[in-house]
Amino acid sequence: MLHKPEVAIENVYFPESGWCSMLAYMEEGDAIEVGHIGFEGVIGLPVVLADESDDLEAMVQAPGDAFRLSAGALREAMDEDRDLRHLLLRYALVLHGQVARTGACNGRHGINERLARWLLMAHDRAEGDEFPMTHEFLSLMLGVRRAGVTVAARMLQKAQFIRYERGRMEVTDRPGLEGAGCECYGIQRRALERLFGRSKLPGQH
């Protein structure tokens, strides 16, 4: 856990590899992923937006390396460097759009489309076509029962878009997986391209 809900954020992280899930918890203890951050972003965004804590939990999902900076040092750097502040605020807009689109997607689209979208996001931030993933973890990320994830993953594997075995997920047909997903992934991707440029984007396998 890189930071917990309603606890002061002491450090921010700039991932170089791997990715982090932003989780929203319910009173019953259930959680669902509302944000997905890899090497295109920063973990600890409330610090950028002049706050000290978040109501979300930042949990490392795929291990990797990251640069760590104290919250105070980031605030000082933003005061001194307008270009840095501008870049971080642009990323805040990207993550805002991702969270909003995730809410809309969860409410309107079926599990097959949502799973395809999530796998595309993970593939963008992975260092190759294969990455660790279990059905249990996917059910947590998507906020659905594990049985539903199993059925959806089986359909994508039958179509030869992915290969899943022993906790490892491999994307075998990226165009096919994009076709199986909903429009939400493309909307988020175009937002990244508009704000940061195609050369800056993750997923350049």
Side-chain angles (χ1 to χ4, degrees):
M1 304 301 172
L2 297 183
H3 66 70
K4 296 182 179 181
E6 301 180 7
V7 175
I9 298 173
E10 297 182 356
N11 300 291
V12 297
Y13 299 85
F14 296 85
E16 285 284 283
S17 57
W19 66 84
C20 182
S21 291
M22 304 304 298
L23 302 176
Y25 276 88
M26 307 295 112
E27 287 185 356
E28 297 82 2
D30 295 334
I32 186 171
E33 183 185 78
V34 296
H36 194 108
I37 302 173
F39 64 82
E40 81 288 354
V42 55
I43 299 158
L45 199 58
V47 174
V48 175
L49 301 175
D51 203 353
E52 296 183 351
S53 63
D54 201 344
D55 62 353
L56 303 176
E57 180 177 88
M59 180 182 69
V60 175
Q61 186 178 126
D65 298 317
F67 292 102
R68 182 179 65 189
L69 189 65
S70 73
L74 181 63
R75 293 188 185 99
E76 291 178 6
M78 289 178 62
D79 289 340
E80 296 172 359
D81 190 333
R82 293 182 60 186
D83 290 338
L84 173 63
R85 183 170 65 251
H86 177 74
L87 184 63
L88 289 172
L89 290 176
R90 286 174 80 85
Y91 176 67
L93 183 59
V94 167
L95 189 62
H96 165 75
Q98 184 194 126
V99 171
R101 180 57 53 177
T102 296
C105 187
N106 288 346
R108 300 289 296 194
H109 294 141
I111 185 172
N112 291 2
E113 294 173 311
R114 290 166 56 197
L115 176 59
R117 169 181 171 264
W118 193 94
L119 291 173
L120 288 166
M121 293 173 64
H123 188 231
D124 281 347
R125 292 158 179 83
E127 295 184 299
D129 293 328
E130 186 176 321
F131 46 89
M133 188 53 54
T134 66
H135 285 191
E136 182 177 1
F137 213 83
L138 280 171
S139 69
L140 171 64
M141 295 302 98
L142 299 176
V144 298
R145 297 179 62 183
R146 180 175 175 177
V149 170
T150 299
V151 172
R154 189 176 296 142
M155 292 181 65
L156 293 177
Q157 182 162 260
K158 186 176 181 180
Q160 299 184 344
F161 300 151
I162 64 170
R163 182 181 297 114
Y164 176 78
E165 186 178 22
R166 297 178 183 176
R168 303 291 300 182
M169 185 73 69
E170 181 184 1
V171 175
T172 54
D173 183 351
R174 169 83 187 205
L177 190 60
E178 289 181 357
C182 54
E183 71 270 21
C184 297
Y185 172 78
I187 291 171
Q188 292 174 219
R189 184 80 183 194
R190 288 192 295 274
L192 274 170
E193 292 176 357
R194 176 172 57 86
L195 291 168
F196 291 105
R198 186 177 298 272
S199 64
K200 305 283 186 182
L201 297 183
Q204 305 297 322
H205 299 299

